[in-house]
Amino acid sequence: MSQAQRYTDWQQIGRGGHANVFRVFDNKLDRDVAIKLLNERARENKRLVEGMAREVKISRDLYHPCICPIYDLYEGVEGTGIVMKLLEGTDLGHWLARNKGNILPTAPQRLHLLTRLTEALAVAHTTIVHRDLKPTNVFLLNGDITSPVIMDFGISAMVSLDVGDICGTPRYMAPEQYEAPEKTNNRSDLFALGIMAYELFTDHTPPTSNRDILKTERPARVPLDQVAPPSTYCPVVPP
């Protein structure tokens, strides 16, 4: 069965900077899957395509309930992309926006989420670095904050190979991702997780965030005593 015969009924469900996401029916497995296709600009970069194939092989071996399963590499008439499990729900970014100002009642669930993300990263970091961890790359199954799934390990690692782009999203980017991308490692993901954790329990982004780095062209340098502890905003967080 050719890929054109195997994957049918393409419906676009998402759009990103380097790739678009489609709901597709897999006639071989008799179920819907998601395929993230590189857009036309990204497909022109040979290193991106080669890198994606390599990272798909790595990501396919990641097994954790909080990591989105990647099935295969797609190369067909529609383009080049990644075949992955189709998930139903919403992302953490949307959940946080809807629950802004509602920290105390949801604090136990937020802590559970943070614990699960940490466990998933511990597994992933045995073989791969995400490089673009952020709320919109954390999917909540059926919108449940206690059922997070980290998305885009393959895509994020692949995109980092594009020397024309900065690796990561400034708001969650570790300093080395801007100053020396070749030094990006698992600690870069932990930096992003720290920014996310602060936001989870304060509804604020800490001043250590590099959200303005594209304007300032230098990482934020903030003395620790100038960072308000999360307990300032959320009394259930121990000082």
Side-chain angles (χ1 to χ4, degrees), residues 114-222:
L114 188 60
T115 301
R116 297 296 281 160
L117 295 181
T118 304
E119 293 169 349
L121 283 179
V123 171
H125 283 166
T126 61
T127 56
I128 196 171
V129 179
H130 192 288
R131 296 179 175 88
D132 196 18
L133 188 65
K134 55 186 176 182
T136 52
N137 272 338
V138 175
F139 200 80
L140 305 179
L141 297 178
N142 300 314
D144 183 358
I145 191 175
T146 63
S147 299
V149 177
I150 301 177
M151 307 289 293
D152 286 356
F153 270 99
I155 283 285
S156 299
M158 172 271 296
V159 167
S160 73
L161 297 173
D162 187 350
V163 295
D165 288 320
I166 293 174
C167 165
T169 299
R171 185 169 177 171
Y172 302 95
M173 184 190 300
E176 66 273 10
Q177 290 177 268
Y178 182 83
E179 295 183 314
E182 70 281 0
K183 295 183 179 180
T184 299
N185 58 30
N186 58 354
R187 291 176 296 178
S188 306
D189 284 349
L190 298 183
F191 184 96
L193 185 66
I195 300 292
M196 290 172 57
Y198 193 95
E199 291 180 338
L200 273 169
F201 289 98
T202 69
D203 275 343
H204 291 77
T205 301
T208 49
S209 168
N210 289 302
R211 56 188 171 184
D212 296 325
I213 200 168
L214 298 183
K215 296 179 181 178
T216 63
E217 297 185 347
R218 61 179 184 272
R221 307 293 186 193
V222 183

